[in-house]
Amino acid sequence: MARRIVVPGELVTSERKRIGKHVYLRDGSIFSDSVGLVSENDTTVSVIPLEGKYEAEINDVVVGVVMDEKISGYTVCLDSFYTSYISKKALRDPLKPASVVSAKVMGINELKEIEIGNVRVLFGGEVIQVSPVKVPRVIGKDGSMLEVLKNGTGCMLVVGRNGLIWVKGGNVKLLQGALDLIQAKAHADNLTNKVSTFLAPKGQINGAQVQAPPAGDDFFA
């Protein structure tokens, strides 16, 4: 399933559960010590930090999570080895910690710090994480796989080259199943057909066939 984003000090759960990684107990409740994704089952809860893995390239479209505010801008987690930064001058409105944004990689300096621009805030929804190396398969040739995922699940999607995917509406559980299939079979031929077959008999929500999300950017800020 898609996981909830939390920031340091945020309540993860008030239920009595075994403490996993990157969480701590205070006054009987469990809190996060990191910006990350909640991982929870019936007995244990932990937070998976949003860090490492992604190597940025100029013009990549990415999905990021705002970590904190500086005097002149914001640091943003792209699940990369290196720091990412948005200047306040490039923004129309202020951002908040844990806000989800889509953006374009504008520059990478000699320290591998990433400058991003063309920022859009993504309201509501959830974040799903996949391996960055599998993102081309999630998108498909000329966006073919992405269309199959949208039409088969009814979800609105923004796929970042960094492996973070913002999703809103539709059948998120079905989408997660399709993404798991793509990651497991990324090496296989005819993968788009395999995913279409996986979604075809299951693309039902409350007994009704799902519809493709509306066109346009109405879910952006």
Side-chain angles (χ1 to χ4, degrees):
M1 296 181 61
R3 297 187 176 106
R4 177 167 58 97
I5 297 171
V6 291
V7 297
E10 183 174 346
L11 175 69
V12 176
T13 182
S14 296
E15 297 179 11
R16 295 185 63 182
K17 293 194 175 185
R18 185 178 303 146
I19 294 176
K21 294 181 179 180
H22 297 287
V23 293
Y24 61 91
L25 185 66
R26 186 180 71 198
D27 297 330
S29 295
I30 299 173
F31 297 82
S32 173
D33 70 6
S34 303
V35 175
L37 305 174
V38 175
S39 177
E40 186 174 11
N41 58 33
D42 291 339
T43 61
T44 306
V45 63
S46 59
V47 170
I48 302 170
L50 294 172
E51 59 183 12
K53 301 180 182 67
Y54 170 62
E55 293 282 351
E57 295 185 13
I58 300 295
N59 294 325
D60 277 356
V61 174
V62 294
V63 171
V65 181
V66 178
M67 295 182 66
D68 54 39
E69 181 176 359
K70 305 295 184 182
I71 294 175
S72 59
Y74 302 87
T75 56
V76 179
C77 180
L78 299 180
D79 196 22
S80 171
F81 288 110
Y82 304 105
T83 302
S84 179
Y85 180 80
I86 300 173
S87 170
K88 289 181 178 178
K89 294 180 180 179
L91 298 171
R92 182 180 62 191
D93 298 307
L95 299 176
K96 297 179 180 179
S99 293
V100 181
V101 299
S102 72
K104 180 180 286 188
V105 176
M106 310 300 288
I108 306 168
N109 67 20
E110 63 276 7
L111 299 177
K112 301 294 185 180
E113 295 169 332
I114 304 164
E115 178 189 356
I116 55 178
N118 295 349
V119 178
R120 292 173 171 180
V121 180
L122 303 173
F123 288 103
E126 301 172 270
V127 173
I128 295 176
Q129 189 172 24
V130 300
S131 171
V133 299
K134 306 294 178 63
V135 167
R137 295 295 259 163
V138 173
I139 296 173
K141 185 177 180 181
D142 299 322
S144 57
M145 183 70 82
L146 190 56
E147 286 304 308
V148 167
L149 294 172
K150 289 179 178 179
N151 292 330
T153 66
C155 296
M156 294 183 287
L157 301 173
V158 178
V159 179
R161 288 282 180 175
N162 54 325
L164 298 184
I165 301 173
W166 177 84
V167 52
K168 185 175 183 180
N171 191 331
V172 179
K173 184 176 291 187
L174 181 60
L175 173 67
Q176 181 68 72
L179 291 171
D180 289 344
L181 175 61
I182 291 169
Q183 294 196 93
K185 302 292 185 180
H187 60 284
D189 295 330
N190 300 316
L191 184 57
T192 301
N193 290 337
K194 289 180 172 65
V195 174
S196 296
T197 300
F198 172 83
L199 292 174
K202 303 174 184 177
Q204 304 281 329
I205 300 177
N206 297 326
Q209 185 69 28
V210 300
Q211 300 295 317
D217 290 343
D218 54 325
F219 47 89
F220 291 121

